[in-house]
Each structure stands twice: as C-alpha cells, then as structure tokens.
Amino acid sequence: MKKQSFIIRYSAPLFFALSLFSSGAVQSEPVDSEQREQQRELFKKAEYAAKRGRLNEYRQLLQKLDDYPLVPYLELTRLEQVGYLANEDRVLAFLEKYDNTPLDWQLRQPWLTYLAGQEEHARFIRDFRHPGTLTHRCQFIEAQRKKGLGEGPFRRQVDAIWEHGFSLPSACDPILKEWEKLDGRTDAKIWNRLQLAAEHGNPTLLPYLTGLLPELQQYLGEFYHKVRYSPAAIEDNAWFKGRYPAKEAEITTFALTKLIWRDENIALRSYKKLSPQLPFTKEQEEQIAEEFAVALSLKSHPEARVWHDRVPVNALNERVLQWRLAIYLKDKDYEGLRDTIQSLPVAIRQGNQWRYWLARTQEITGNALVAQQLYDDLSDERHYYGFLASARLQKPVSLEHEKLEVSVVQLEQVRNHPSVQRAYELIQLERWVDARREWNHLLTQLDGEEQKVAAYLASEWGWHDQAIWTLAQIGHFDAVGIRFPLAYKDILGRASQAAGIDQNWALAITRRESNFRHDAYSSAGARGLMQILPGTAKQLDTKNNSWRRLNDPSVNVRLGTHYLSRLKHRFENNWLLATASYNAGYYRVREWLPEEPVYADEWVETIPYHETRDYVKAVLSYQQIYRMLGGNEDNLFEQVVDMTIVETE
C-alpha cells in the first residue's frame, strides 16, 4: 500500500513559518488557547446580555472581546432586535461589511420584511439582493412597479413568479392581480402551471387552476387531477373528448408512466388502445418507453426486453442501462449481455461498470484471455469494480492515491480567512449550523487549490464531514487519508468488539451513513453517526431515545453496531445481506433473495432500489479501504466473488 504524505513547499525566507506546524500539521488553536477560551465564555455572556437588552453589560463585555472572530455575531444579535429605521446606518454598514456572507442574509431578511411592512419601497429596492425568498421577490417587484417599472419588464418578472407548481405566498397577490389586469395570465401560462402542479408540485392547486381555464378546456384540468391520484382513469373513454388531442396525449403520458408501476397489465393494455388515437410526440414515446422498460424489468415481466428495444440509443441513461443489465443477468443471458455492452456508445462502454461486466461475460463465455486483459485494466483502480477485478485475478488491491501538496503561504492565507476563523470558533461552541454556513460561503471564495487546503484544515479540526464534502466538491478523490479518516476509532472499535463484528465494516457503514457527522439527520428521522431510526433504537434499547441521546456518538455507535450484529446473525452471518438490510430493511431484502443461487456480484446489480444498490457497493469498497489503511492487505472482494446469494428459511 502506498503511504500518503503531506508535502509543504517553502523557500528560505519562509522557513520561520515552520514553527507554526508540528510534523506538517497546522496548529489550529490560537497560540494563547487559554485567552481564546476566556473569549468564548465572554462571547456567550455578551450574547445573553444582548438578547435580554442589558446594554451596559453587553457593551462592557464587548470591549473585552477585542478581535474575537465571532464579534460580528454579537452585532447581528443586537441589530436583529433594534434594526429599525432609527438604526439604519448601523444596519447598512453591517450589510455592506458582510455582504454575501451568512451574516448578511441573517440580517437582510428581517430587515427587508421590516421595510416591506413600512412600505419603504425605495429602501427595499436598494437593499434587496437576488434571488431572495419568494415573498421578498414579489415585494421587490411590487416596490419596483410603484417606483415606475415599465409594463413589459413588470410582466416578464411576474411571469417567472407564476411558473411555480406550488401555492404562492400572499405577498404575491398584489402583483398577480395587476398582472392579470394587464392580460399577463394567458391560457397557455395557466396550462403550464397546471402541468407543473400535477407532475412536480402540489396537486391541491389543480382545482383552482382548472377553474381559470376556458370552460371547454376545464375537463383537461379535471382529467389531470383524476389521474394524479388514480392513473387507471385513462381506461375511461369519457375523458377523451378529442377537443385538444395534444393535451390529452400529455396527460395520458403522465398517467401511463405512473400506472406502469401500479398495474402493468392495465398500463400495457391502455397504451395499446390509446397509441393509435392520440398524437404522442417522439419525446413522449421515449418517456413512455423508458418508464415501461424500467418498471417491467423490475417486475421481471416477459415484455421488458421489448420495451428496452424501443428506447433509442440517444435516449439511453444510467437508469435504463442498469435495468437492461439486470434483465440479462436474471435471464443468465451472458452472450446477449456481452453483445449489448459491445454495441453501446464508446462513452458509455468505457464506464467502470460496463468494463467489468464485459470482462465477466467474456470470462463466462469462454474468452479467458480477453477477460484477463479487461480485468487487469480495471484492477489498479480504487472503486467497487476495480476491487472485484483484483479479486478475480487474485492480485493485491491498489489504493492508487496521490500526495497532497500545499504551501505554507496557502495554509496561512486560508487559515486567516475571516470565514475560517468564524467557522472554527463556531465549532468550538458546537454551533454546527452556523459553522457549516460559514464553511459553504468560504468555499465560494476559494479556488481549487485553496479548497484542498481548506479540506486539510477541516480534517485537522476533526470536522471530517466537511473535509470529505469539500474534496468531493472539487473532484479530488485521491487524498485517501482525509476522505477515509479513522474518526471515532476508539468508540467504534470497542462497540464493534462488543457486538462481535468487524470494526472496518462499522467504519465503512458510518462513513457512508454520515461522513462521521455526529449530528447528522435524515428526512426519515434517522440520527447520528450511524443514522439510527428512533423505532430501531426502541427495539434495541428501551431507554428514552431522544434525538439528543441518538446524537451522542457512544450511544449511537453502540446501537448501530448491535443492530449490524443482529442483522448479520439473521442472515446466517452473511455481512453483505446485512449491509443491504441496514439500508433497506430486513424484510425487504428477504423479498429480494432468489430461489436459486446467484453470484453475489450479479445479485447486487439486481437490487431493486438504486439507493440500496449504490449503498452496498460503496460500503464494500469503503470496508476494503479501511482494511488496507489498518494494515490488512487481504482482498475482502475475494469473499464476494466466491459468494452466492439464495433464499434461506
């Protein structure tokens, strides 16, 4: 395994700067750490005083804080409370100084709301910044109109507001009413918004928009509303009045792409019946073919290949191709898969997945020498398919990573950036949301080389999720030591040992779930390092599992490793199936198990959920990387290539 190093380039005049470093590592904490800690305590007291209007106490504390990086947040707190016209100069000075930073918008939004409420149109126009909230955008247009905005520009700006598939805020009502009087609301614009609401927005908006259509067109809005909830309604001939066949075709296309997932037999029958009588466009035919091909593949329907053949080459995408691959693998048609891959456009055929499966099908169909060359080309690459190829050749795995090079000057420049200083202090105060806002703003101010330095700093701080994310944003994937930190190693090690599972597996799961962000949370309610759902936590531990408790690394990791152990046991020690279950759920994975044995690499490609499919590939790859970072050169994927998946009792 190649060892990663961190190289500092310097010239003689800069040699003195090396005192700031220890073995190449940046000293993140200020020189006088005790003084800085005192400032943090003073900051919290000053903030408390500001929020409660204790001005004398606040001013005294403010004087003691001197150049503390978070002093602007104290001024923000104060201005949020007294940001009226009497303090306009202070507000404007603050907005100018921190323009386009997280501090800016936290004051600008309430300031604009205040100005709109006072009908201070000139000031509102002066202080508004695009894009702003939808409410403020509408108020901005209204203010401009009252200050003489011409009819043409006014209509164009309101056109953009109208084109939303969701209900608009009440602040938009005045400009919409005037826009309507100026004949801005045409039938075509109503139809476009109705289509947005039906297919991508809020369907409860459909009755309102339907009522705005001319009477002869209103059946179309009612038809859209009907199929939004019940796509099988296209079986009712009464909806096809023939007045607007192109629009009826639009609605039917939408309905068919929904219906194929609910009832493929009705969808196929309806398409066969309606295709001759509706003027489907080429794009609509391609949309239907794509959705039918994918849905029928997932359902193992005998007509799946027929619909795949109807998707033109120029319309192929990752989703269609994935399920084309799955069909051939399920049918054990390796010759057909080989020929299909060879017929793909070069740009697609050179993808890692297709290179591997071309090698695999060449191997299965007897072309061993061709397969070996293809495997060899892949085997030096650091990804799921590269690791599989290495295993098939029984050769050592390569991490293939580069050295990260930054200069002392770059390190000092980035470290002294105000956003870096503020982000660091916010981390120390455990104000993670504000810290991430500062960091995201920082990245917009840095070039690619500087962002590498920023990622290194974040890693040194133990802010691993931001270090990983920053490198991903700039496409720098070769700093393996930063992208795969041994974060929370002691906690994960103890918990893994207690649960009887591989520590590298737990590290890989944690890396995939949260990038080691201890306060991570998902829309489904999962929390913490290993993304534990409250329901799962309750099954594992009867204690009160509040979100704060689930964010505690030791609690979260104990529950997560215990759950992994339970899943592995339920799948007769098959950790690959347990990995899939950790993402998709135990009973769902049981439904995916085949009746006859299937090789693991083939089974992974046929997992119905793309999220779980990608999850399994990522976790296996991360587990291999962590094994090697820990000094274990064995290829985990040798177990994968020999593994078969089959339904168990």
Side-chain angles (χ1 to χ4, degrees):
M1 181 183 70
K2 299 178 182 179
K3 299 293 184 182
Q4 184 183 6
S5 62
F6 190 87
I7 295 179
I8 299 176
R9 301 188 302 271
Y10 59 90
S11 58
L14 289 174
F15 185 80
F16 73 93
L18 293 177
S19 63
L20 297 172
F21 300 86
S22 175
S23 302
V26 177
Q27 180 181 331
S28 300
E29 183 74 15
V31 176
D32 191 346
S33 58
E34 184 178 349
Q35 179 187 3
R36 189 59 100 200
E37 188 58 44
Q38 290 173 353
Q39 287 179 320
R40 289 170 194 147
E41 291 303 314
L42 289 172
F43 170 81
K44 288 186 279 189
K45 291 178 181 178
E47 185 180 51
Y48 184 86
K51 288 181 177 179
R52 279 150 185 78
R54 301 175 184 174
L55 295 184
N56 289 335
E57 180 184 352
Y58 168 71
R59 294 189 185 106
Q60 290 172 6
L61 291 166
L62 193 61
Q63 289 178 351
K64 296 178 182 179
L65 282 165
D66 194 24
D67 60 348
Y68 182 58
L70 296 187
V71 165
Y73 278 86
L74 293 177
E75 179 69 356
L76 173 64
T77 299
R78 186 73 189 128
L79 288 174
E80 284 176 329
Q81 295 177 317
V82 297
Y84 306 115
L85 289 179
N87 293 285
E88 182 177 22
D89 290 344
R90 287 173 61 190
V91 170
L92 295 181
F94 187 93
L95 293 176
E96 181 179 1
K97 184 173 183 179
Y98 300 105
D99 185 34
N100 196 35
T101 72
L103 288 157
D104 173 318
W105 71 261
Q106 289 184 77
L107 180 60
R108 193 178 298 276
Q109 289 205 42
W111 175 246
L112 289 173
T113 298
Y114 167 72
L115 293 178
Q118 298 296 310
E119 298 188 358
E120 290 285 348
H121 302 302
R123 286 182 166 93
F124 191 100
I125 293 168
R126 178 195 65 194
D127 297 337
F128 177 79
R129 296 288 183 275
H130 286 286
T133 65
L134 196 52
T135 291
H136 287 155
R137 284 174 61 191
C138 288
Q139 290 169 336
F140 177 64
I141 296 170
E142 182 182 11
Q144 285 183 305
R145 182 63 170 159
K146 290 185 176 179
K147 289 295 182 180
L149 180 67
E151 183 177 312
F154 172 75
R155 287 182 55 171
R156 286 192 293 274
Q157 289 189 45
V158 182
D159 283 348
I161 296 294
W162 174 259
E163 292 175 3
H164 283 80
F166 298 87
S167 297
L168 297 171
S170 58
C172 299
D173 291 347
I175 61 172
L176 289 173
K177 288 178 181 177
E178 184 175 0
W179 177 70
E180 180 186 354
K181 291 177 182 177
L182 295 172
D183 297 324
R185 193 180 71 191
T186 64
D187 293 347
K189 290 172 185 174
I190 295 170
W191 176 256
N192 288 340
R193 189 176 179 199
L194 189 145
Q195 191 175 32
L196 284 172
E199 301 188 16
H200 309 292
N202 183 358
T204 62
L205 192 59
L206 294 176
Y208 161 72
L209 293 171
T210 297
L212 300 180
L213 289 170
E215 187 174 350
L216 288 177
Q217 291 186 31
Q218 288 184 4
Y219 80 96
L220 295 168
E222 294 167 358
F223 188 17
Y224 238 142
H225 197 199
K226 183 67 175 179
V227 300
R228 177 65 175 76
Y229 295 101
S230 179
I234 57 174
E235 285 203 294
D236 187 350
N237 291 330
W239 289 113
F240 300 95
K241 302 183 184 300
R243 298 175 191 160
Y244 302 94
K247 287 183 170 57
E248 290 176 3
E250 281 185 43
I251 300 170
T252 303
T253 300
F254 169 70
L256 285 169
T257 58
K258 299 299 178 187
L259 184 57
I260 191 66
W261 293 97
R262 298 191 186 186
D263 191 318
E264 65 273 19
N265 294 321
I266 296 178
L268 289 166
R269 184 170 68 238
S270 296
Y271 175 80
K272 185 176 181 180
K273 173 186 140 184
L274 295 169
S275 181
Q277 69 186 63
L278 290 175
F280 291 118
T281 65
K282 178 183 176 183
E283 291 74 17
Q284 288 167 348
E285 290 282 7
E286 289 178 1
Q287 185 181 350
I288 293 168
E290 175 186 335
E291 208 65 27
F292 276 35
V294 171
L296 295 175
S297 298
L298 189 131
K299 296 168 182 280
S300 299
H301 195 280
E303 288 193 38
R305 285 204 191 192
V306 173
W307 283 93
H308 272 283
D309 291 341
R310 297 181 70 158
V311 180
V313 173
N314 65 344
L316 289 175
N317 56 43
E318 183 179 352
R319 183 167 173 255
V320 173
L321 287 170
Q322 177 63 48
W323 282 104
R324 189 167 292 187
L325 167 63
I327 285 178
Y328 283 106
L329 292 177
K330 285 181 177 180
D331 292 347
K332 304 293 183 184
D333 184 359
Y334 301 110
E335 289 186 357
L337 176 56
R338 179 197 62 200
D339 296 342
T340 296
I341 295 172
Q342 290 176 326
S343 69
L344 292 173
V346 174
I348 296 175
R349 195 167 69 239
Q350 290 178 341
N352 299 330
Q353 182 182 38
W354 301 108
R355 290 162 62 202
Y356 173 79
W357 282 107
L358 180 57
R360 186 84 173 93
T361 53
Q362 293 284 17
E363 178 187 18
I364 293 172
T365 56
N367 300 314
L369 290 177
V370 176
Q372 184 172 353
Q373 181 59 53
L374 292 168
Y375 283 141
D376 196 55
D377 290 342
L378 264 176
S379 62
D380 289 331
E381 299 176 18
R382 189 188 62 251
H383 51 69
Y384 173 77
Y385 295 104
F387 295 155
L388 279 173
S390 295
R392 295 213 170 269
L393 294 177
Q394 295 185 320
K395 64 180 287 189
V397 176
S398 172
L399 286 188
E400 194 65 25
H401 56 287
E402 299 175 354
K403 297 173 181 178
L404 184 62
E405 298 185 2
V406 298
S407 71
V408 172
V409 172
Q410 287 177 315
L411 285 164
E412 283 300 281
Q413 287 175 340
V414 173
R415 192 174 67 136
N416 291 323
H417 193 289
S419 287
V420 172
Q421 295 286 315
R422 292 195 293 265
Y424 181 77
E425 287 305 311
L426 289 164
I427 291 170
Q428 305 315 305
L429 296 173
E430 298 187 358
R431 300 189 180 189
W432 304 102
V433 173
D434 283 327
R436 291 186 179 94
R437 286 172 182 159
E438 289 285 359
W439 193 260
N440 292 338
H441 166 69
L442 168 71
L443 297 182
T444 67
Q445 310 300 304
L446 304 180
D447 62 28
E449 287 300 312
E450 291 169 332
Q451 288 179 4
K452 290 181 187 178
V453 181
Y456 177 77
L457 283 173
S459 179
E460 283 296 300
W461 298 346
W463 206 16
H464 300 295
D465 60 298
Q466 290 303 308
I468 294 166
W469 184 80
T470 300
L471 289 176
Q473 288 295 104
I474 58 176
H476 189 81
F477 300 112
D478 291 327
V480 173
I482 293 177
R483 293 188 60 237
F484 294 93
L486 297 174
Y488 300 97
K489 183 180 179 181
D490 291 342
I491 294 174
L492 282 160
R494 288 192 299 270
S496 298
Q497 184 176 15
I501 65 171
D502 178 20
Q503 174 182 316
N504 296 311
W505 186 29
L507 275 164
I509 291 282
T510 307
R511 167 65 166 80
R512 176 65 180 188
E513 289 287 350
S514 68
N515 284 338
F516 299 102
R517 177 181 167 183
H518 78 281
D519 63 335
Y521 61 92
S522 73
S523 58
R527 289 279 179 179
L529 289 171
M530 299 187 75
Q531 289 292 275
I532 305 297
L533 286 164
T536 303
K538 188 175 182 179
Q539 293 175 17
L540 300 169
D541 189 340
T542 57
K543 293 181 181 179
N544 178 26
N545 289 296
S546 66
W547 67 265
R548 286 187 177 84
R549 189 165 184 268
L550 291 180
N551 281 355
D552 182 324
S554 60
V555 173
N556 192 281
V557 167
R558 177 174 58 79
L559 293 173
T561 52
H562 182 49
Y563 186 47
L564 280 173
S565 178
R566 176 184 289 189
L567 290 171
K568 184 181 176 186
H569 176 74
R570 295 182 78 179
F571 280 113
E572 300 180 357
N573 290 322
N574 188 312
W575 100 102
L576 190 153
L577 294 180
T579 298
S581 298
Y582 197 88
N583 177 262
Y586 171 77
Y587 291 104
R588 191 168 285 122
V589 172
R590 284 297 301 264
E591 293 174 0
W592 299 341
L593 298 181
E595 294 180 0
E596 299 296 328
V598 172
Y599 281 112
D601 59 350
E602 296 185 20
W603 181 80
V604 169
E605 299 290 6
T606 62
I607 292 175
Y609 290 4
H610 72 87
E611 179 187 336
T612 305
R613 189 167 59 244
D614 293 345
Y615 182 91
V616 170
K617 294 177 185 179
V619 169
L620 292 179
S621 302
Y622 297 171
Q623 190 173 354
Q624 178 63 46
I625 291 170
Y626 275 117
R627 281 166 69 97
M628 297 185 71
L629 290 175
N632 185 344
E633 300 288 339
D634 293 342
N635 191 345
L636 174 75
F637 282 73
E638 290 182 4
Q639 299 176 40
V640 178
V641 298
D642 291 334
M643 184 188 299
T644 56
I645 305 297
V646 67
E647 186 177 9
T648 56
E649 293 297 330

